[in-house]
Amino acid sequence: MLNLVARIPDCPLARTVGQIGQWWTLEILHETFDGHTSFAAIQENLGLPTEVLTERLAALVDTGILEPHGDQGGISRTEYLPTVLGCSLRPILLVMAAWGNHRLEPDQRSLILVDVTTGEEAEPVVVDRATGRRVDTTGYAFTAGPAASEALRARYRKR
C-alpha cells in the first residue's frame, strides 16, 4: 500500500516518498512522538473511524515504521511505538513543521518546537554529521552515488 512507483527507482527522494506514502503517515507518527501511542488515543486525537485507523496502522506496521505492543486482543488498548526506522523520520517531521511556521508571524503559529529545559522556541536545521555545517547551502549538492542507475548518472553527470 505504501510503496509508490518512482519515475527513477533508485532516487532516494522517491524511495522516501514511497516508504512514507500518504500524508497520514507523518500525522500518525507525530501522535506517537508526542506520546499518544494507544490506538484509542490516536483515534481520538485524529478523529478517524476505527476501520480507517486500523488499515493505516497495519500499513505502518507492514513497512516497519511502527510496531504494535500490548493487548493484541483489544485493539483500543494496543500501543503503537515507532521502530528505529520510524524514529529516523522524526527529524523530517521537525523540519517540516518549522518550514510550515517559517512564513508565519510568531503569534500566528499554532504549534512550535521548544527546548523542554528552557521553554525557548527551537529552529531545527539539517547539518552534516561530520562537519556540523548546515547542508541547506550552495556548498552541498546531490551527485550520483556508486549504485546509481544510468538514468540517475545521466541526470547528475554535469557535476
Side-chain angles (χ1 to χ4, degrees), residues 128 131 133-142:
D128 174 35
T131 64
R133 290 179 28 221
R134 290 178 66 140
V135 298
D136 61 345
T137 67
T138 57
Y140 289 88
F142 285 113

Side-chain angles (χ1 to χ4, degrees), residues 17-77:
V17 170
Q19 187 73 22
I20 292 172
Q22 305 293 321
W23 59 269
W24 48 260
T25 298
L26 300 178
E27 191 173 58
I28 291 171
L29 275 173
H30 174 70
E31 290 297 321
T32 64
F33 293 143
D34 276 356
H36 307 288
T37 58
S38 72
F39 184 98
I42 296 167
Q43 183 177 34
E44 181 179 334
N45 290 343
L46 299 180
L48 294 173
T50 299
E51 50 282 353
V52 171
L53 183 57
T54 299
E55 180 182 299
R56 291 177 179 181
L57 288 170
L60 295 175
V61 169
D62 287 347
T63 58
I65 292 173
L66 291 179
E67 184 174 71
H69 290 271
D71 186 2
Q72 304 301 315
I75 195 163
S76 66
R77 288 181 271 169

Side-chain angles (χ1 to χ4, degrees), residues 142-144 152-159:
F142 285 113
T143 190
L152 206 55
R153 287 183 189 287
R155 181 173 179 170
Y156 290 97
R157 194 159 296 180
K158 300 173 189 109
R159 296 203 175 137

Side-chain angles (χ1 to χ4, degrees), residues 109-122:
R109 298 173 182 173
S110 60
L111 184 69
I112 59 173
L113 179 68
V114 297
D115 180 317
V116 296
T117 304
T118 66
E120 294 295 317
E121 186 171 356

